[in-house]
Amino acid sequence: MKGRIVCSKAGRDKGKFMAVLETDGSFVYVCDGKERPIERPKRKNIKHIALTNSSLDKTQFNSNRSLRNALKSYGASAGFKEE
């Protein structure tokens, strides 16, 4: 599941795309490269995320900038506008 793109269904980050860093039982650690950088991932319950069929490769986890750009391009291809 590491590297999978997910969409938040609950919380203040509702509707935003994030990438899964790791899993821990019924929780996942996600980051978006902006509010939640790779160094400080968000712990979310699996019930509060929606899985997508896309995933990122390891090169896109090198920096917060590359992660942000990858998620932004995924959102644009999925038809979502960034606020």
Side-chain angles (χ1 to χ4, degrees):
M1 191 160 172
K2 182 177 179 176
R4 191 106 185 244
I5 297 176
V6 297
C7 184
S8 176
K9 294 192 307 186
R12 80 173 68 194
D13 53 5
K14 182 178 180 179
K16 293 189 180 185
F17 289 109
M18 300 180 153
V20 175
L21 281 181
E22 62 182 88
T23 60
D24 180 28
S26 63
F27 293 97
V28 294
Y29 290 90
V30 295
C31 59
D32 65 357
K34 189 173 182 178
E35 281 93 28
R36 284 298 174 167
I38 295 170
E39 299 82 21
R40 193 174 51 93
K42 169 92 173 135
R43 181 178 178 230
K44 285 192 80 75
N45 193 322
I46 291 180
K47 294 187 249 181
H48 297 158
I49 59 171
L51 299 175
T52 64
N53 294 329
S54 300
S55 61
L56 302 174
D57 58 355
K58 290 184 179 187
T59 60
Q60 293 169 322
F61 280 106
N62 289 340
S63 68
N64 289 314
R65 177 179 287 176
S66 62
L67 178 61
R68 260 193 325 266
N69 290 335
L71 291 173
K72 187 175 181 180
S73 66
Y74 177 78
S77 68
F80 289 96
K81 275 177 107 175
E82 189 173 323
E83 296 176 11

